[in-house]
Amino acid sequence: MDTEGNWYSIDVRNTTSSSQTGDIIATSNNQIWAMLPSSNQVLIYDAKGTIDDFSDDSDTLLTSSYGLPGNVVNCMTEDLDGEIWIGTDKGIAVVYNPRNIFDGGVLEAKQILIDQNGFTEYLFENNTITTIAVDGANRKWVGTLNSGVFLIAEDGSSELSSFNKDNSPLPSNSIKSIAINHETGEVFFGTDGGVVSFRSEATIGTNKNTNVKVYPNPVRENYRGPIAIKGLANNSNVKITDVAGNLVYETDSFGSQAIWYGNDLMGKRVSSGVYLVFASSDNGQERFATKILLIN
């Protein structure tokens, strides 16, 4: 439907005979990716920026012939780099250059090789992936059919955290959906036993500092939780020093938010006092400085 309320029908019968679609995503480069669950395929459609002119439109199918693993496609998402992550009953595959598919590029879904106890295997190859969500640091939250939730690095090369009903308040290891509040970093997990949430440290942002806040501030003597510096340019470097300029702690923001737990680089709680925060974007163009009062 266009902005004037006119409806248009897209004809892809020359590409697929499937009459059923699953999840559909519209990507940052204006492609449409639609799951075809009955045929274990993904339809990719490019309208070339026009909804009412089909003469130059392109479409194709992503299948097992192009590296799609497993027999069932369960979920898809686009990450912050424009890559398409696809969850199947045999793990995850990634399409790294979707922009080039209709411009001479190669359509290919690649699985990620990882080291598992000295053996090389594909990421989640023995797990059914039910949902994938991307946080403000471009990390992936992966839900599985019966193994709980995993947080993996931006490129999928390492596991950062895992949650299941034995080590967390998750009511079930069967994950149905994951949603992220990018303003706060809170991650919501939908399971077959209810919904729970986890306060993550990553929030989505831009390449500029925007209304930077530090909280709590002051940090009272009975508080031992995270101290958040929020609103930074994406992936900023953050240094915390004492008033004499000695480096106390250093970290990088996850997206637009950096977290400090009031400890020094050795993990020891710092003394009461005023601490200075210096933040700089990765290109050095965005800078920010403030103070934190910490009381023990």
Side-chain angles (χ1 to χ4, degrees), residues 13 35 37 41 50 64 79 129 159 185-187:
R13 287 175 294 182
M35 289 166 37
Q41 299 172 335
T50 57
S64 58
D79 74 5
I129 307 303
E159 178 186 310
E186 192 171 11
V187 185

Side-chain angles (χ1 to χ4, degrees), residues 233-290:
N234 280 333
N235 306 318
S236 291
N237 178 256
V238 177
K239 291 182 171 66
I240 297 174
T241 74
D242 59 23
V243 291
N246 299 307
L247 181 66
V248 172
Y249 188 75
E250 183 175 7
T251 187
D252 292 324
S253 67
F254 289 101
S256 67
Q257 181 171 262
I259 297 294
W260 181 42
Y261 281 89
N263 299 326
D264 61 20
L265 291 170
M266 302 301 294
K268 182 181 178 181
R269 186 73 173 181
V270 299
S271 303
S272 295
V274 174
Y275 292 87
L276 308 180
V277 179
F278 301 96
S280 175
S281 61
D282 52 8
N283 60 12
Q285 295 182 359
E286 292 291 315
R287 299 177 182 273
F288 175 79
T290 191

Side-chain angles (χ1 to χ4, degrees), residues 80-126:
L80 301 184
D81 292 329
E83 299 169 353
I84 308 297
W85 288 62
I86 302 172
T88 77
D89 62 335
K90 294 293 183 182
I92 286 176
V94 185
V95 179
Y96 289 102
N97 295 296
R99 294 178 180 272
N100 301 326
I101 288 174
F102 300 112
D103 297 312
V106 176
L107 175 59
E108 184 178 20
K110 293 186 176 181
Q111 293 179 268
I112 299 170
L113 286 170
I114 60 170
D115 180 85
Q116 189 74 13
N117 300 321
F119 296 93
T120 300
E121 62 181 46
Y122 288 121
L123 179 67
F124 295 120
E125 68 174 327
N126 296 316

Side-chain angles (χ1 to χ4, degrees), residues 202-223:
T203 60
I204 202 162
T206 66
N207 293 325
K208 293 184 176 296
N209 293 334
T210 306
N211 193 27
V212 181
K213 297 179 181 178
V214 178
Y215 62 92
N217 191 15
V219 180
R220 307 302 304 187
E221 58 271 19
N222 59 349
Y223 182 76

Side-chain angles (χ1 to χ4, degrees), residues 149 163-164 168-172 175 177-179 186-191 193-199:
V149 176
F163 302 93
N164 55 59
S168 76
L170 272 179
S172 169
I175 310 302
S177 60
I178 299 175
E186 192 171 11
V187 185
F188 295 84
F189 308 113
T191 79
V195 177
V196 295
S197 69
F198 173 78
R199 185 64 178 268

Side-chain angles (χ1 to χ4, degrees), residues 11 14 29-30 36 43 51 61 117 147 157 183 188 190 200 216 222 226 241 254-255 265 268:
D11 188 353
N14 290 331
N29 65 326
N30 296 318
L36 306 178
L43 173 70
I51 193 173
L61 285 178
N117 300 321
S147 299
S157 60
E183 290 295 320
F188 295 84
S200 175
N222 59 349
T241 74
F254 289 101
L265 291 170
K268 182 181 178 181

